[in-house]
Amino acid sequence: MRWLPWLLGFAPAWGQSVPEVVAQGEKVFNQTCATGYCHGLKGGSGGAPRLAARGFDEAYINSTMTRGVSGTAMPAFATILSRSDFVAVAAYVATLNGIATPNVNLGGGRAGGPPMETLSRDAARGRELFFDSLRGFGRCSTCHEVNGMGIPVASAIAKVPADAAALRALATPGVRTATVGGEPMPAVVVSQGKTRTIFFDLTSVPPVQRTLDAGAASLAEGSRWSHASVVGAYSDGDLESILAYLRAEVMSNR
Amino acid sequence: MPMRFLPILLAIAALNAQTPASDGATHANWPQYGGTSLSWRYSALDEINIGNVGKLAPAWVFQTGDYEQGLQSTPIVIDGVMYVSTSRSQVFALDAATGSLIWQYKYPLPRGRATAQNRGVAVADGKVFIGTYDDYLVAIDQKTGREAWKVAVNDSRQCGCTINSAPLVAEGKVIIGEAGGDGALRGYLTAFDTQTGRLAWRFYTIPAPGEKGNETWKGDSWKFGGGATWMTGSFDPALNLVYWGTGNAASDLYAEDRDPGGNGQGGLNLYTASVIALDADTGKLRWYYQEVPKDMWDYDAAYESILIDREINGKMRKLLVHVNKGGFAFTLDRTTGEFIKAFPIVELHTWVQGITEDGKWVGRKEPLPGHPVNVCPGPLGGKSWNQDAYSPRTGMIYTPSIEMCADLIANRQEPREGGGFLGGNWVLGLPTDRTNFSHVDAYDPLTGKRQWTYPSKSLLFASLLATAGDLVFTGDPEGLFFALDARSGKKVWSFQTGAGHRGSAVTYSVKGKQYIATPTGYGSLAAGMTAGLFADSDRFRGGSSVMVFALPEGSK
């Protein structure tokens, strides 16, 4: 259900004509699908099958792109491309199969989240910072999944702090102290059963998911771990942009 | 000084004068991906040898049930237990004498991943390590098969990258590479503590601004410049150095956006298409040797580094032998990275006229924007990732080569993180004036002289295994597993295993009895891309089993 509001609300806001969508699709196709290991330019085949002039209809294109093809290198693009890129690529592949005016409001594509085009400049910058791969393990998405991207160590972000200071000083009651072999470590517990305890060790980034026999780890409430210790690489300005991005995401999920 | 100490001192001095050569042979166990961490893929076992190999017979077979992309693995064998991984990150522990299942581990690959591949595990410190297609590194308890820890090396949904290769273990660390350098990725190598899973170090194969080497990139091109570490490296415990090959520069075929100009002395687009030597404790770069400066052909240098000690001009030298996808082998000094020799391992290398005595390419034939340029080898390389072997008995490097060409068309492309970044396209083709397109060869790594060649019509995509029985084992896509005489290249034994070969055979012994084990089951990206070039490719069967051979009782 969470993607329904923006499916209805944002799709018209793209405001792109069909030729513009197809042109965007060709660009993304060339970057993502056309390589020599895969379908080739204009779908003329590379390592993977030819896509042009195969008589594919739009439903088939859409479902194949959504699900991928088992036993081949063709992944499920619904979880890889943004929704607007997904729709654009599907439209472009349709034109390669003689469908002059493809339907650009097809279902499928990635669930959730506003398209980049609808983010404010500040929020778009925040999104880049949140997922910034040049920061390696120092980026937010090392521990947070938002909109289908990032590693879900922390639980989903439901409330967005008011400002950078609040983000640094964030209370983290979910972080406890696990003691393993006499060594205490900050821990986010995943599950605690009769036989096994599973938790994330937050001692260093990236967090390590440990699975231990129940007796091998003892858990206590509280921890000296602080959110400030892992957001240090971002400036206050960076964090404000990230908060703007998160507000846009949380709003879109309501 | 009391006289009685003198003989001891003299004896120590004599030992120092002749440093014992590093021994990369395996014995009862096959402990690492490349046999030992020196990556010889050579066993000192000789119960099965050139004299009795004709009697070799099946001992047992294990079907994994995971037929995705064939079985590309190298089994690890320790103390009578075999550990083998399949493409969808399942791991099996088997009794290596009988093939019976001890435990299995099924990694929960996320749904929607239509394909996957995996080339093996590493075992150390009571754990079995596997890298997964969705970019996790997992440690499994060696005794129980239960997960001990796992860590996200990257987010595959964002980086478009995957882990296919086996990890390397070195002194309490597990080191894992990353595939995806034909997409917009900045390559890296990551080391974790074997016990806790905590990050030990990460080395980016492309330096950031302010770091030495970044000046070999134009503008921001370093951010998505490739250099993936998509195969497994080697480790020399005596030097405490980890050696790894790095992949192509990206975009693969179109290089103008990453060429900063200048004379390129010392390399262009560092450290792509290079062999790098890192301090095992810190991950700091000790030396590099760039095989293909400003790569424009997808000529990865990602393959194995074979660490051997050989005498040159009366002096024992620590060497590294490494094959580049451009179809040339390089022999380097592994202490310093000094170039010693390069020689072709393919008969067709039209992308370059040759290489000078000091390692400089002459007459490179570069792809052009918008116009097809035909070169051999094609982007699959003069050899695929299946690995060489080295026998200290013959002094030969054994290498599986392929003779293929391609029309390359370069096109300017903007990078998009995690998306394809080939900078053009290609059409693969077989050379028209030949009837065989692959061969196993024996080379002297010091002179580059070819001692023998064993030709094959279909592409040899399985690794080689050399043994002290003077045998070289490998398999072909048609399903034949066979042994060659290590000194002549003559085929001395073969067996139809029922599925094509894309994995790596190993040998080991249990209770004094020697076994030869090979994965079977054809698959992989390269296998899929080349199938269409062969009219009889229906004969290249998929599957996924471990097939094990031994000498029947009383037949020695």
Side-chain angles (χ1 to χ4, degrees):
Chain A
M1 272 307 282
R2 60 195 267 247
W3 47 269
L4 195 59
W6 73 262
L7 184 70
L8 298 171
F10 287 99
W14 296 343
Q16 285 180 306
S17 67
V18 171
E20 282 168 343
V21 172
V22 170
Q24 182 198 346
E26 179 168 14
K27 185 167 163 250
V28 178
F29 184 90
N30 287 343
Q31 291 172 337
T32 308
C33 322
T35 75
Y37 286 114
C38 303
H39 295 296
L41 287 173
K42 297 186 191 303
S45 102
R50 178 170 56 86
L51 299 182
R54 295 284 302 277
F56 294 156
D57 64 26
E58 290 182 81
Y60 178 79
I61 294 166
N62 194 57
S63 75
T64 307
M65 281 181 63
T66 301
R67 289 195 302 237
V69 178
S70 182
T72 74
M74 171 76 187
F77 278 102
T79 56
I80 293 171
L81 292 176
S82 74
R83 185 178 153 69
S84 62
D85 284 349
F86 182 99
V87 170
V89 170
Y92 173 65
V93 175
T95 64
L96 295 178
N97 285 277
I99 299 163
T101 318
N103 176 4
V104 296
N105 293 309
L106 282 171
R110 188 170 99 211
M116 276 295 276
E117 296 87 334
T118 67
L119 292 175
S120 70
R121 182 178 296 222
D122 194 29
R125 177 172 175 269
R127 186 186 191 281
E128 276 172 29
L129 288 164
F130 190 95
F131 294 105
D132 183 7
S133 55
L134 299 179
R135 292 169 186 265
F137 295 118
R139 56 181 158 161
C140 307
S141 59
T142 300
C143 301
H144 295 281
E145 182 185 49
V146 172
N147 192 12
M149 207 104 96
I151 309 298
V153 174
S155 48
I157 297 169
K159 266 173 72 178
V160 180
D163 55 25
L167 183 63
R168 289 184 196 280
L170 195 69
T172 51
V175 182
R176 298 156 77 183
T177 299
T179 302
V180 180
E183 184 197 355
M185 57 191 79
V188 171
V189 176
V190 176
S191 70
Q192 203 176 354
K194 276 187 187 144
T195 56
R196 258 171 263 173
T197 303
I198 303 177
F199 65 88
F200 285 100
D201 169 15
L202 303 190
T203 301
S204 57
V205 286
V208 182
Q209 184 179 309
R210 306 271 306 256
T211 302
L212 292 159
D213 288 336
S218 66
L219 294 167
E221 293 304 314
S223 168
R224 285 185 189 168
W225 187 87
S226 74
H227 197 237
S229 70
V230 290
V231 300
Y234 291 106
S235 70
D236 278 1
D238 292 343
L239 293 178
E240 295 293 352
S241 297
I242 288 166
L243 291 169
Y245 164 62
L246 293 176
R247 274 179 214 113
E249 285 285 359
V250 170
M251 294 273 281
S252 78
N253 289 339
R254 291 227 166 99
Chain B
M1 179 186 291
M3 274 306 284
R4 63 197 169 97
F5 287 146
L6 196 56
I8 297 170
L9 280 178
L10 287 174
I12 290 170
L15 264 178
N16 283 341
Q18 323 172 274
T19 314
S22 306
D23 185 9
T26 65
H27 298 271
N29 293 339
W30 187 274
Q32 289 253 30
Y33 184 68
T36 68
S37 71
L38 306 188
S39 302
W40 291 6
R41 290 189 178 266
Y42 169 82
S43 172
L45 299 178
D46 62 359
E47 181 197 343
I48 298 162
N49 57 54
I50 191 79
N52 61 19
V53 66
K55 296 172 185 162
L56 203 57
W60 55 264
V61 183
F62 180 80
Q63 299 275 2
T64 73
D66 175 8
Y67 303 116
E68 181 74 37
Q69 296 293 342
L71 191 60
Q72 305 180 29
S73 207
T74 294
I76 300 294
V77 183
I78 294 175
D79 298 338
V81 179
M82 177 183 289
Y83 305 89
V84 62
S85 62
T86 67
S87 291
R88 296 190 68 82
S89 310
Q90 298 187 33
V91 183
F92 298 89
L94 307 172
D95 181 320
T98 66
S100 72
L101 180 69
I102 298 169
W103 55 253
Q104 66 177 312
Y105 169 82
K106 279 190 181 182
Y107 178 76
L109 267 184
R111 284 175 196 205
R113 274 289 176 196
T115 190
Q117 47 188 346
N118 186 277
R119 301 189 185 123
V121 299
V123 182
D125 302 335
K127 296 192 172 59
V128 179
F129 303 97
I130 182 167
T132 71
Y133 205 68
D134 65 339
D135 244 50
Y136 279 80
L137 179 67
V138 181
I140 304 160
D141 185 283
Q142 189 182 349
K143 286 271 182 302
T144 64
R146 289 208 302 240
E147 193 171 297
W149 56 256
K150 72 170 185 175
V151 62
V153 182
N154 203 341
D155 181 354
S156 65
R157 295 175 293 187
Q158 181 178 344
C159 65
C161 50
T162 61
I163 298 174
N164 310 328
S165 57
L168 176 75
V169 286
E171 313 281 344
K173 293 187 181 63
V174 50
I175 307 166
I176 187 74
E178 183 74 70
D182 301 304
L185 177 78
R186 178 186 177 213
Y188 51 82
L189 194 61
T190 321
F192 298 90
D193 182 279
T194 55
Q195 289 302 340
T196 64
R198 290 177 191 153
L199 180 71
W201 49 259
R202 169 170 280 188
F203 176 80
Y204 283 95
T205 60
I206 300 179
E211 294 173 343
K212 195 171 169 293
N214 182 265
E215 72 284 357
T216 67
W217 294 86
K218 183 178 179 180
D220 279 348
S221 61
W222 64 276
K223 290 181 178 176
F224 298 119
T229 51
W230 59 274
M231 284 302 294
T232 303
S234 300
F235 172 60
D236 182 340
L239 294 173
N240 200 38
L241 289 179
V242 170
Y243 303 93
W244 222 280
T246 68
N248 59 279
S251 63
D252 296 41
L253 306 181
Y254 185 86
E256 289 320 297
D257 287 348
R258 51 181 159 85
D259 184 352
N263 64 10
Q265 282 285 334
L268 260 178
N269 302 145
L270 295 174
Y271 302 98
T272 63
S274 302
V275 175
I276 54 175
L278 307 180
D279 182 296
D281 296 329
T282 63
K284 293 257 183 327
L285 183 71
R286 185 71 63 84
W287 59 256
Y288 70 91
Y289 182 85
Q290 189 173 44
E291 293 173 352
V292 187
K294 193 186 170 186
D295 167 39
M296 304 170 71
W297 301 265
D298 194 6
Y299 284 163
D300 302 82
Y303 300 155
E304 68 280 11
S305 295
I306 305 167
L307 311 184
I308 63 174
D309 296 356
R310 291 285 289 270
E311 200 177 289
I312 298 178
N313 299 329
K315 208 179 145 202
M316 204 57 156
R317 299 282 297 268
K318 290 176 179 292
L319 306 176
L320 181 155
V321 184
H322 182 264
V323 175
N324 184 277
K325 262 167 81 177
F328 283 74
F330 289 78
T331 302
L332 309 173
D333 181 306
R334 76 172 180 272
T335 309
T336 62
E338 178 201 344
F339 173 88
I340 290 173
K341 179 80 189 169
F343 55 92
I345 57 123
V346 288
E347 288 153 19
L348 292 170
H349 47 84
T350 63
W351 73 279
V352 72
Q353 284 166 12
I355 191 162
T356 63
E357 282 301 308
D358 58 349
K360 301 277 187 298
W361 299 112
V362 180
R364 301 195 339 172
K365 188 176 171 189
E366 301 185 345
L368 297 170
H371 297 281
V373 172
N374 187 269
V375 296
C376 322
L380 293 184
K383 152 175 137 44
S384 186
W385 55 259
N386 47 309
Q387 310 220 317
D388 287 11
Y390 170 74
S391 167
R393 284 172 57 86
T394 62
M396 294 294 131
I397 292 280
Y398 301 96
T399 191
S401 305
I402 53 181
E403 305 284 351
M404 245 169 88
C405 310
D407 285 329
L408 306 179
I409 306 151
N411 270 307
R412 186 162 188 275
Q413 185 180 359
E414 291 289 335
R416 177 178 179 281
E417 185 176 18
F421 194 32
L422 215 58
N425 206 352
W426 62 63
V427 180
L428 299 176
L430 294 172
T432 50
D433 52 351
R434 307 175 60 100
T435 53
N436 66 74
F437 308 102
S438 195
H439 38 98
V440 178
D441 302 317
Y443 288 97
D444 180 330
L446 304 184
T447 65
K449 189 167 175 284
R450 183 158 83 173
Q451 301 291 320
W452 54 254
T453 182
Y454 170 87
S456 166
K457 175 176 170 283
S458 55
L459 305 174
L460 295 172
F461 275 159
S463 296
L464 305 182
L465 163 67
T467 74
D470 282 347
L471 297 167
V472 175
F473 289 88
T474 191
D476 66 21
E478 287 95 333
L480 280 186
F481 184 58
F482 56 93
L484 305 177
D485 179 336
R487 295 182 188 275
S488 70
K490 286 205 175 64
K491 191 193 272 188
V492 290
W493 173 82
S494 71
F495 185 90
Q496 173 54 260
T497 61
H501 291 256
R502 186 48 163 145
S504 305
V506 303
T507 185
Y508 58 92
S509 70
V510 183
K511 292 179 184 151
K513 184 180 175 73
Q514 185 183 359
Y515 297 86
I516 308 272
T518 183
T520 76
Y522 200 57
S524 83
L525 198 61
M529 288 171 70
T530 52
L533 301 173
F534 291 86
D536 58 349
S537 64
D538 283 350
R539 298 170 64 209
F540 309 163
R541 307 306 298 177
S544 180
S545 62
V546 182
M547 182 127 201
V548 179
F549 299 89
L551 294 173
E553 290 304 325
S555 69
K556 292 160 202 168

